Amino acid sequence: EAGVAQSPRYKIIEKRQSVAFWCNPISGHATLYWYQQILGQGPKLLIQFQNNGVVDDSQLPKDRFSAERLKGVDSTLKIQPAKLEDSAVYLCAGRSTGGLEQYFGPGTRLTVT
Amino acid sequence: AQSVSQHNHHVILSEAASLELGCNYSYGGTVNLFWYVQYPGQHLQLLLKYFSGDPLVKGIKGFEAEFIKSKFSFNLRKPSVQWSDTAEYFCAVTSSGNTPLVFGKGTRLSVIA
């Protein structure tokens, strides 16, 4: 089966610009997570979707970050406007209903200058 | 809130040396525990997992981990490391299938010839 797809793999933008990341989890994985991994730290949850609904976005900086999963399949995470501290790897993961294991994509490495 | 502590930031070992990476978590209820590995330039991969049953779990590539409930620990071990084990290792915990993973900060392992 195909793995979790993410694009782009790398992105460099200037502060105050906007950026969007895309994720397509493994087919049938109803739960989708976006994590932020800052250099030297472990991944931290930004937002969790169950199908097309948000389950947990308590740690999402909503003044600048937004995410959607309109059809309950692929998802987009947007940052507008970006700050220097947003430089990180953005990871997407999926999980099947009833499953305990999350499957991660390769991530998007964002550099904000 | 759950938290995960990984005691070692960077471990340097010679090939064939034995490895033990510490992981402690804070959560009093039922937990599901994971070790992920991130090889240079690659995405997070699951090494092993503990959900229930035998507290000694075996994973891929000769890794194993032991869940000690009384110590809130889930240490990762390997009897003899290889150069190819050079990577970053993350311990993670979740309290149920639907909650996101909480990661430790990671331990960087460097294996030298």
Side-chain angles (χ1 to χ4, degrees), chain A residues 9-58:
Chain A
R9 292 292 311 274
Y10 305 91
K11 190 74 177 178
I12 301 174
I13 61 172
E14 295 181 353
K15 59 184 179 182
R16 292 188 288 274
Q17 285 187 323
S18 303
V19 64
F21 314 128
W22 176 82
C23 169
N24 195 15
I26 295 170
S27 177
H29 282 194
T31 307
L32 185 148
Y33 308 83
W34 282 102
Y35 292 87
Q36 180 192 56
Q37 185 178 11
I38 293 173
L39 187 64
Q41 299 181 20
K44 292 183 180 178
L45 179 76
L46 288 174
I47 188 167
Q48 176 184 345
F49 289 95
Q50 180 69 25
N51 296 308
N52 62 350
V54 174
V55 174
D56 182 356
D57 64 356
S58 58

Side-chain angles (χ1 to χ4, degrees), chain B residues 2-24:
Chain B
Q2 298 171 354
S3 66
V4 177
S5 296
Q6 291 185 241
H7 314 303
N8 310 101
H9 180 62
H10 188 193
V11 173
I12 303 173
L13 294 174
S14 298
E15 277 193 313
S18 64
L19 169 73
E20 181 160 3
L21 301 182
C23 172
N24 286 90

Side-chain angles (χ1 to χ4, degrees), chain A residues 1 3-4 25-26 29 33 92-96 100-105, chain B residues 36 43-44 46 49 101:
Chain A
E1 71 184 356
V4 179
I26 295 170
H29 282 194
Y33 308 83
C92 176
R95 183 181 60 81
S96 62
L100 289 171
E101 186 175 334
Q102 295 182 23
Y103 295 83
F104 285 83
Chain B
Y36 282 86
H43 59 276
L44 280 170
L46 183 67
K49 59 196 175 190
L101 291 168

Side-chain angles (χ1 to χ4, degrees), chain A residues 39-110:
Chain A
L39 187 64
Q41 299 181 20
K44 292 183 180 178
L45 179 76
L46 288 174
I47 188 167
Q48 176 184 345
F49 289 95
Q50 180 69 25
N51 296 308
N52 62 350
V54 174
V55 174
D56 182 356
D57 64 356
S58 58
Q59 298 183 74
L60 188 74
K62 298 181 189 63
D63 58 333
R64 298 183 301 106
F65 286 64
S66 64
E68 59 184 17
R69 195 185 184 200
L70 296 176
K71 297 183 179 179
V73 180
D74 58 341
S75 175
T76 302
L77 176 70
K78 296 179 181 177
I79 308 175
Q80 180 180 10
K83 293 185 175 181
L84 295 176
E85 58 260 37
D86 298 331
S87 293
V89 176
Y90 290 85
L91 296 166
C92 176
R95 183 181 60 81
S96 62
T97 302
L100 289 171
E101 186 175 334
Q102 295 182 23
Y103 295 83
F104 285 83
T108 296
R109 182 177 297 276
L110 173 67

Side-chain angles (χ1 to χ4, degrees), chain B residues 40-76:
Chain B
Q42 296 188 28
H43 59 276
L44 280 170
Q45 300 173 38
L46 183 67
L47 261 184
L48 46 77
K49 59 196 175 190
Y50 172 80
F51 298 150
S52 64
D54 188 344
L56 183 63
V57 292
K58 295 191 183 298
I60 60 172
K61 304 185 180 185
F63 286 90
E64 66 178 31
E66 184 175 12
F67 170 52
I68 303 180
K69 189 175 181 180
S70 60
K71 294 185 178 180
F72 297 90
S73 70
F74 190 56
N75 292 354
L76 180 70

